[in-house]
Amino acid sequence: MYNSISLDNALSVPYPDIVALSQGRMITIITHMDMYFGRSFALYPVNTLLNLFSVEEYYKPSFLSTCKTVLDEINSDEVGIKFWAKCHNCSQINDPEDLTQLSKITFWTEEGLKTLLKQRGNIFLTYLRVYKLPEPITMSPLTNARFVPLPYPIRVIEENPILDDNNFDKQYRRILNRQTPEHPELEELETAIAQLTLTHPDAKFLKDKIHIFLGWQPAKPPQIPENLNWIYTINQLGTATEGGNYEKGTAFENIVHQSLSFLGFELDQNAKGGAGGMDLYCTKPYPMVGECKAGLTIPAGATQELIRLGGTHLGQQLFNQSVKLIIGPGKPTPQVQKSAQEFKISIINPMTLEKLVKLQAQYPGSVDLIELKDYFKKKKGDQEEWGQMDDNIDKYIKIVFNRLKLRSHIIQVVKNSHQQAGIEYLKGSYDHSNPPQILQQQELHEILIELSSPLTGYLGRTQDNQFYFLRELIID
């Protein structure tokens, strides 16, 4: 049950600090007075530190680009309040040596902190749990006011903080103990690409990944980057409402090529359809020849066309060894289905291809093409069936999702241990966690090693084979 809190005022905080709080990259601010635990208020953005400093004096060079960008957003006619906070702890800092240590782990300069202490006589480091307001509040600007009355009281609940409990506690302990960041090089990279994120979708995607890895924002279901929005047009191009349109047919062939390449197939660039040509031919990881049929249905002669063109261009022996695939809309007619079974041809809808590509985009490396090959046909006892394979491919996609869910569950088991733990301890914890499937200790250990690989980075692993939590795997 979430606590309900009434807010009637806002604390003036430099806008760059609010941005850092809202990104989860910081949980502290400098205040002029002691704050008691649980005190709650909205965060009122101001464009200077109460007119005491320029941004260059108070913030480190690595944070200046962010500062100048956000300060330019402040409107002199009105102020937008988007966040509120609850005090988690507050401590007075008046030791110059402590200010030196604090500067090393924050974006405030040592000189700025020491000058601020000299001018005020005492300053306080206030730790905040930050939340987004249900609705932004707009009000007229007020100058030099430390606490600003809100135009009307608002009621909020402690739901969905910027940082989850684990990441907040991790940052809290780090700052409380004045520990340097674990990954300063990633923080530097995030700063270096900050300006690029305004114009380059890839940079924004990378920035979000860095924020999640560093614990600045909670993990969320993987999003498909903007530069991969073409994925959403696969089915649309394959189910064009006007059959026989050459331009639409070519567009569908092109996006099928793009899709298969994205999945990891190596394509023969000479196979691009046209008069008398194969629509597609994949050479690796196994030979696969295919026809692309955009329109309302798959034409009756599609299987014969694939057989004729494939056999002509590849030779009968290589053609027989190849996976044979037709990608087109609708349900195959009995004639097409019969011919597909006779000549071992698989048929999938454009939407099925789109599902596979989306899966690979959200969870890179999750589609194993060698495994996928077995799902281009069905096995019933000793018999093999070909034809429409959409339900079979859907079965494979479900298997992949179940694997991902299993790994997500194991990551949560490690996270909930709140410590480095060995395989025996984790096996016991896993068995009592309502697991999605029973695992032997060796099976669990193999998955833990996989998740702690530098290429995955969900778990850490010590030299003595102890595992610890690094980041979430959220399955949508």
Side-chain angles (χ1 to χ4, degrees):
M1 192 71 178
Y2 298 110
N3 293 326
S4 177
I5 299 171
S6 180
L7 305 178
D8 54 16
N9 58 31
L11 176 66
S12 293
V13 178
Y15 194 16
D17 290 26
I18 292 179
V19 171
L21 291 170
S22 69
Q23 292 175 343
R25 66 188 301 169
M26 281 295 291
I27 62 168
T28 54
I29 58 172
I30 300 295
T31 55
H32 71 291
M33 60 181 291
D34 194 4
M35 296 279 184
Y36 59 82
F37 176 83
R39 184 170 186 178
S40 302
F41 38 77
L43 299 176
Y44 181 93
V46 293
N47 61 356
T48 64
L49 191 70
L50 303 179
N51 300 317
L52 294 177
F53 297 103
S54 67
V55 291
E56 291 82 4
E57 293 174 294
Y58 192 61
Y59 297 106
K60 292 179 181 177
S62 60
F63 192 60
L64 282 180
S65 61
T66 299
C67 295
K68 293 177 179 178
T69 299
V70 300
L71 288 175
D72 287 342
E73 298 174 359
I74 289 188
N75 190 325
S76 59
D77 298 325
E78 62 181 27
V79 175
I81 301 175
K82 301 177 182 178
F83 301 93
W84 70 277
K86 183 177 181 180
C87 178
H88 185 77
N89 193 5
C90 186
S91 58
Q92 186 172 0
I93 47 175
N94 51 21
D95 180 357
E97 181 63 28
D98 192 20
L99 293 179
T100 300
Q101 295 303 315
L102 183 62
S103 176
K104 290 179 179 179
I105 61 174
T106 64
F107 45 64
W108 301 310
T109 65
E110 181 180 349
E111 295 75 14
L113 289 173
K114 289 181 177 179
T115 303
L116 184 62
L117 175 61
K118 184 177 180 181
Q119 290 184 355
R120 289 186 175 176
N122 54 66
I123 56 177
F124 297 84
L125 183 66
T126 300
Y127 300 79
L128 298 178
R129 197 75 190 268
V130 180
Y131 304 79
K132 192 172 183 178
L133 285 172
E135 296 290 339
I137 299 172
T138 302
M139 57 185 294
S140 300
L142 298 173
T143 58
N144 297 328
R146 301 193 188 281
F147 274 97
V148 178
L150 296 176
Y152 48 85
I154 58 171
R155 187 158 290 280
V156 294
I157 57 175
E158 298 178 75
E159 182 181 18
N160 298 324
I162 297 297
L163 289 175
D164 60 23
D165 292 347
N166 182 73
N167 282 322
F168 180 83
D169 289 342
K170 189 175 179 180
Q171 280 212 46
Y172 176 69
R173 290 193 300 271
R174 181 179 69 81
I175 298 175
L176 190 68
N177 298 321
R178 305 296 191 261
Q179 296 171 341
T180 55
E182 291 180 306
H183 306 283
E185 68 287 348
L186 283 181
E187 296 193 18
E188 291 177 8
L189 175 60
E190 192 277 343
T191 299
I193 65 173
Q195 291 299 311
L196 290 175
T197 61
L198 302 176
T199 54
H200 292 73
D202 286 346
K204 184 179 184 302
F205 181 72
L206 177 59
K207 183 199 74 171
D208 289 342
K209 289 287 187 182
I210 293 173
H211 281 205
I212 292 171
F213 183 82
L214 293 174
W216 292 357
Q217 60 177 273
K220 53 191 175 184
Q223 303 297 308
I224 295 178
E226 290 182 20
N227 65 316
L228 297 181
N229 280 344
W230 57 267
I231 293 172
Y232 298 103
T233 68
I234 298 171
N235 183 59
Q236 177 186 350
L237 290 172
T239 54
T241 55
E242 298 177 20
N245 185 302
Y246 178 79
E247 288 76 16
K248 289 186 177 180
T250 301
F252 182 53
E253 289 174 15
N254 290 339
I255 205 162
V256 168
H257 275 242
Q258 188 174 3
S259 300
L260 294 176
S261 178
F262 184 80
L263 288 172
F265 286 101
E266 187 172 305
L267 283 80
D268 183 344
Q269 296 305 313
N270 294 318
K272 291 188 174 180
M278 295 184 297
D279 285 350
L280 66 92
Y281 174 55
C282 301
T283 57
K284 294 180 180 179
Y286 42 81
M288 182 169 73
V289 61
E291 282 290 307
C292 308
K293 297 298 179 185
L296 296 175
T297 58
I298 297 173
T303 53
Q304 297 301 323
E305 185 178 359
L306 176 59
I307 296 164
R308 178 175 57 81
L309 293 174
T312 300
H313 288 278
L314 300 180
Q316 203 61 46
Q317 182 176 358
L318 180 55
F319 178 72
N320 289 340
Q321 294 171 354
S322 301
V323 173
K324 294 168 276 292
L325 179 66
I326 294 175
I327 306 173
K331 184 177 181 180
T333 63
Q335 178 186 353
V336 171
Q337 182 73 18
K338 180 180 178 182
S339 182
Q341 174 64 27
E342 181 180 354
F343 294 99
K344 301 181 179 181
I345 296 172
S346 307
I347 300 171
I348 64 170
N349 283 320
M351 179 54 78
T352 298
L353 178 61
E354 184 172 308
K355 289 178 185 177
L356 277 171
V357 178
K358 282 180 180 176
L359 177 62
Q360 180 76 345
Q362 285 186 289
Y363 306 97
S366 60
V367 177
D368 184 324
L369 297 183
I370 301 299
E371 280 188 337
L372 180 64
K373 182 180 180 181
D374 292 335
Y375 290 85
F376 284 124
K377 60 186 176 183
K378 294 179 181 178
K379 293 183 179 180
K380 290 189 175 181
D382 296 332
Q383 300 298 315
E384 294 182 331
E385 294 182 1
W386 283 265
Q388 192 164 30
M389 291 292 123
D390 297 288
D391 58 343
N392 222 34
I393 302 296
D394 283 342
K395 183 191 299 182
Y396 173 69
I397 292 173
K398 186 174 181 179
I399 288 171
V400 173
F401 266 108
N402 286 339
R403 287 177 184 162
L404 291 168
K405 288 177 181 177
L406 172 63
R407 281 149 179 79
S408 177
H409 184 88
I410 292 172
I411 291 168
Q412 287 299 314
V413 169
V414 178
K415 177 182 177 181
N416 293 338
S417 69
H418 300 293
Q419 60 184 346
Q420 296 179 2
I423 181 60
E424 293 82 6
Y425 177 88
L426 292 173
K427 177 63 166 65
S429 298
Y430 177 81
D431 290 343
H432 291 87
S433 65
N434 190 25
Q437 68 181 74
I438 301 300
L439 292 177
Q440 298 302 313
Q441 184 166 303
Q442 181 62 31
E443 294 174 310
L444 176 61
H445 191 238
E446 289 173 358
I447 295 176
L448 288 168
I449 292 174
E450 170 199 323
L451 294 171
S452 61
S453 161
L455 296 178
T456 55
Y458 292 104
L459 301 178
R461 182 186 177 199
T462 64
Q463 289 185 340
D464 60 346
N465 214 25
Q466 301 280 304
F467 297 91
Y468 56 93
F469 172 80
L470 286 178
R471 63 189 179 99
E472 302 271 10
L473 171 60
I474 305 296
I475 308 301
D476 188 6

